[in-house]
């Protein structure tokens, strides 16, 4: 459950209603992308590559161990990260983006680029709205 209402999604080229499985996946991906912690973990792993759990938490900042564990498990389930346990004492566990996770990170970069290009316009619009 993503917290978003199920939307009827039209295929971008044909305009026809999408396959219900694709609709469900798009809604789930939107929910995942809208999740603050997932996007921050995605950004950290895209920037730094393979990392240990503790180091990810330090880089994300403000995330609890419980939330980081839940976020990484959900990302692993979705195929966005791979978890590697090294057989040493103490155990060493590392996470890295999969190709799928890397492609989502690349797609998300477009949002950052858009935000950088439009921040002044958004702030102006907000100020005008708030002044009413």
């Amino acid at each position: 459950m993503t917290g978003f209402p199920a939307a009827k999604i039209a295929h971008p080229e044909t305009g026809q209603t999408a396959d219900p499985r694709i609709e469900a996946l798009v809604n789930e991906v939107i929910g995942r992308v809208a999740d603050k912690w997932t996007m921050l973990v995605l950004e950290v792993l895209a920037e730094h590559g393979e990392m240990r759990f503790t180091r990810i938490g330090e880089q994300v900042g403000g995330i609890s161990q419980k939330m980081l564990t839940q976020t990484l498990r959900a990302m692993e389930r979705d195929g966005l990260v791979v978890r590697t346990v090294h057989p040493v004492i103490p155990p060493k566990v590392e996470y890295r983006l999969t190709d799928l996770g890397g492609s989502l990170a690349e797609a998300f970069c477009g949002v950052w680029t858009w935000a950088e290009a439009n921040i002044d316009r958004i702030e102006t619009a907000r100020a005008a709205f708030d002044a009413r």
Side-chain angles (χ1 to χ4, degrees):
M1 177 109 181
T2 63
F4 290 97
K8 292 294 178 190
I9 299 171
H11 187 280
E13 294 176 6
T14 67
Q16 296 180 3
T17 302
D19 176 322
R21 293 178 311 133
I22 294 173
E23 276 186 56
L25 179 60
V26 168
N27 281 314
E28 289 172 15
V29 169
I30 289 170
R32 173 77 57 230
V33 171
D35 175 68
K36 168 185 172 180
W37 298 122
T38 297
M39 294 318 302
L40 291 173
V41 169
L42 187 71
E43 180 184 359
V44 164
L45 290 174
E47 185 177 332
H48 298 283
E50 190 169 54
M51 297 179 72
R52 293 182 76 159
F53 179 91
T54 304
R55 186 79 173 120
I56 296 169
E58 291 169 356
Q59 290 294 309
V60 169
I63 190 169
S64 69
Q65 285 190 343
K66 179 181 177 182
M67 184 54 67
L68 181 56
T69 298
Q70 290 174 351
T71 300
L72 287 166
R73 283 186 183 157
M75 291 175 74
E76 184 179 11
R77 181 176 183 265
D78 287 345
L80 303 176
V81 298
V82 64
R83 178 179 184 261
T84 304
V85 179
H86 301 279
V88 295
I89 298 174
K92 179 180 175 183
V93 180
E94 294 181 312
Y95 296 85
R96 67 175 167 77
L97 291 180
T98 62
D99 290 341
L100 185 61
S103 67
L104 180 58
E106 287 175 16
F108 188 64
C109 281
V111 176
W112 282 99
T113 302
W114 178 87
E116 285 179 343
N118 292 289
I119 190 167
D120 291 336
R121 292 173 63 191
I122 297 291
E123 289 177 346
T124 299
R126 287 177 176 173
F129 181 89
D130 293 345
R132 286 191 249 165

